[in-house]
Amino acid sequence: MIERSGNLIVISGPSGVGKSTLVKQVRAQLPSLEFSVSCTTRAPRAGEVDGRDYFFLAEDEFEAKVQQGEFIEYAGVFAHRYGTLKSEVLNRLRRGADVILDIDVQGARLIRQAALADEEIAHAAQFIMIVPPDIATLEARLSGRNSETPESLKLRLAGAKSELANFRLYDYLVVNDDLDTAAEELISLLKCMRMRTATIEGEPFA
Ligand code: 5GP
């Protein structure tokens, strides 16, 4: 019997690229995928549910988790703090589940660094960036979303450009032009990841 640990699938992509919709669609088609719910200090948007989309925390609650070493990584994004909890990730990987992290470029960089010192993370981590077909498409999608103030829109666009400039930090790039095509490509990648030798435990053929 071949036993596997899970893949830690780090997915980043600039605001407005359609990453959440894409991830939602992929999860519906691959129900065994698990999603790491991050902590954030930002306020919930309409329709977001605490514990499902994020754990929405006050600044002091977030800081307490930092002090207690509960995060694998945490970063400041758009004037708020975001962090990935160890409790959302490590046990799932150990029992063989693939876990998706939807985090920004800073977070991906921190996971790369963590992998240098931690063999478990090194074996598990795979990095995927979701990109728009071009900047104009991204601008149109962001301003059509209507969830941002003009100031936050400007901030998110500038952030998007600098995130995209870091695409070489990632192993794979998925272009989200057509949602169904992008979902299919992402699913193919995730299926390939289940065949990686790095996640095989022990010596099954000894
Ligand atoms: P939003 O506020 O639009 O939900 O997310 C803003 C950005 O924060 C996105 O790029 C998202 O990927 C990133 N983000 C969400 N959770 C985390 C996290 O736990 N760590 C880091 N570093 N970034 C996160």
Side-chain angles (χ1 to χ4, degrees):
M1 173 79 173
I2 299 176
E3 304 259 357
R4 292 177 177 279
S5 53
N7 293 296
L8 178 60
I9 301 154
V10 176
I11 300 190
S12 304
S15 188
V17 79
K19 190 179 37 169
S20 334
T21 315
L22 185 58
V23 168
K24 209 183 274 175
Q25 177 147 336
V26 167
R27 286 174 69 201
Q29 290 181 56
L30 289 181
S32 60
L33 266 183
E34 304 206 8
F35 183 73
S36 160
V37 178
S38 290
C39 294
T40 182
T41 59
R42 82 151 163 76
R45 297 198 186 107
E48 283 184 331
V49 175
D50 187 42
R52 185 194 69 186
D53 299 289
Y54 281 106
F55 297 110
F56 294 99
L57 302 183
E59 179 61 42
D60 59 336
E61 294 171 317
F62 192 101
E63 184 54 31
K65 291 193 184 299
V66 171
Q67 295 305 326
Q68 284 152 24
E70 291 186 36
F71 291 119
I72 296 182
E73 64 76 36
Y74 60 93
V77 187
F78 309 129
H80 293 290
R81 302 178 87 186
Y82 293 78
T84 305
L85 290 168
K86 291 178 183 167
S87 59
E88 284 287 300
V89 173
L90 298 177
N91 287 335
R92 290 167 163 176
L93 292 180
R94 287 170 193 157
R95 67 171 157 73
D98 289 346
V99 181
I100 286 196
L101 303 186
D102 168 351
I103 64 177
D104 79 328
V105 170
Q106 303 172 76
R109 213 179 276 289
L110 291 168
I111 301 278
R112 280 249 188 246
Q113 274 169 24
L116 296 175
D118 183 327
E119 202 174 65
E120 190 180 4
I121 294 182
H123 284 161
Q126 294 285 290
F127 296 81
I128 303 174
M129 181 175 253
I130 314 294
V131 301
D134 48 56
I135 295 286
T137 308
L138 186 72
E139 277 194 53
R141 285 185 194 162
L142 261 181
S143 44
R145 188 153 95 175
N146 281 332
S147 62
E148 313 301 330
T149 62
E151 193 175 317
S152 131
L153 186 63
K154 222 168 122 188
L155 203 65
R156 279 174 185 261
L157 247 182
K161 288 188 183 170
S162 73
E163 287 225 325
L164 288 170
N166 284 289
F167 76 91
R168 286 190 202 279
L169 178 67
Y170 295 78
D171 304 308
Y172 304 96
L173 197 129
V174 172
V175 179
N176 187 15
D177 190 357
D178 172 66
L179 178 66
D180 289 337
T181 308
E184 221 171 89
E185 290 178 356
L186 192 49
I187 288 169
S188 305
L189 276 179
L190 299 176
K191 286 185 177 167
C192 288
M193 285 173 191
R194 295 296 296 175
M195 295 173 232
R196 294 171 60 235
T197 55
T199 57
I200 294 174
E201 305 275 0
E203 295 298 333
F205 308 111

